[in-house]
Amino acid sequence: MRIMLLGAPGSGKGTQGEMLAAHYGIPRLSTGDVLRAAVRDGAPLGKQVQAVMAAGELVDDALVVGVVQERLDEADTANGFILDGFPRNVAQARALDRLLAQTRRLPIDLALHLDVPIREVVHRLLNRGTEQGRADDHEDAIRRRLDVYMAETHPLLQYFDARGMLVTLNGSGTVTAIFGTLAHAIDEHCSRSGV
Ligand code: AMP
């Protein structure tokens, strides 16, 4: 089962992605986590992306696609995976199609969109900034990330809807309730398509 999680920053992709990965026994690939680890480790990739990330901008497509390619080349993604934070724009979505073909993976089954009102995501991100001290969870970067989301990533909803892959779910509520809704959507899709 190959799933992607879509939604604004702070919509719960990371939390739900981890829970779904544990539940279905497939790896979660978060490009944000990989990039943050590279920054933390002082890796060359981290040095390239640190300022861009802190400003809330998108990292260069080629770099991110490289990260995804490396991960999809690993054997544990053969039975499925959960993409969290990738693709972030239409060019990345197209690159993903090419990558899946190259790595002999089947196409993505479902694009799950966690729909959360903007006011609520701002509130969540400001809280996370206080609790976890993420470099991009302060007011200026949050505003920029949301603008970038609306301009670059939001159009992907229509892109995947046109391909019959999109399921939009209410991303407000308790973590457990949202997880239940997501798992139900996945199970329903799998039983319909015989996965
Ligand atoms: P996230 O943890 O998904 O919110 O990502 C944090 C930051 O990492 C983003 O604001 C971007 O700077 C960068 N990033 C993560 N995924 C991507 C992507 N697919 N394309 C470009 N930049 C990304």
Side-chain angles (χ1 to χ4, degrees):
M1 185 190 341
R2 292 154 304 278
I3 292 166
M4 59 175 85
L5 292 175
L6 299 173
S11 59
K13 301 186 300 293
T15 305
Q16 296 295 337
E18 275 178 21
M19 291 167 71
L20 291 170
H23 182 75
Y24 291 104
I26 50 176
R28 158 179 169 260
L29 167 50
S30 155
T31 42
D33 278 1
V34 173
L35 296 170
R36 271 186 295 279
V39 170
R40 215 170 28 241
D41 298 347
L45 172 65
K47 296 204 165 77
Q48 267 177 289
V49 301
Q50 184 164 18
V52 176
M53 286 177 78
E57 304 289 343
L58 289 186
V59 167
D60 182 68
D61 287 343
L63 290 179
V64 186
V65 171
V67 164
V68 175
Q69 174 158 27
E70 221 169 86
R71 189 65 187 88
L72 288 185
D73 271 337
E74 288 176 38
D76 67 338
T77 60
N79 292 327
F81 48 82
I82 295 169
L83 290 176
D84 163 0
F86 179 90
R88 282 283 229 282
N89 57 31
V90 172
Q92 291 181 12
R94 297 212 169 102
L96 175 62
D97 283 341
R98 288 193 295 273
L99 261 182
L100 292 170
Q102 271 164 27
T103 51
R104 303 189 181 198
R105 303 283 189 251
L106 293 167
I108 299 292
D109 295 298
L110 263 185
L112 294 167
H113 168 216
L114 283 172
D115 194 16
V116 179
I118 290 298
R119 266 213 329 227
E120 189 175 334
V121 300
V122 171
H123 181 71
R124 290 186 192 178
L125 291 169
L126 287 170
N127 274 347
R128 188 170 72 184
T130 314
E131 284 162 14
Q132 299 175 16
R134 235 178 85 159
D136 56 357
D137 282 342
H138 59 82
E139 218 171 317
D140 288 348
I142 290 173
R143 196 170 308 121
R144 185 65 197 138
R145 282 155 70 206
L146 291 173
D147 285 350
V148 168
Y149 173 76
M150 287 313 295
E152 300 266 334
T153 312
H154 194 264
L156 279 180
L157 301 179
Q158 208 189 335
Y159 179 89
F160 290 120
D161 194 28
R163 284 160 181 73
M165 295 162 62
L166 186 73
V167 176
T168 291
L169 301 163
N170 180 3
S172 297
T174 66
V175 169
T176 318
I178 297 164
F179 174 74
T181 317
L182 283 167
H184 183 256
I186 294 169
D187 294 344
E188 203 169 63
H189 175 86
C190 289
S191 67
R192 246 201 332 269
S193 56
V195 178

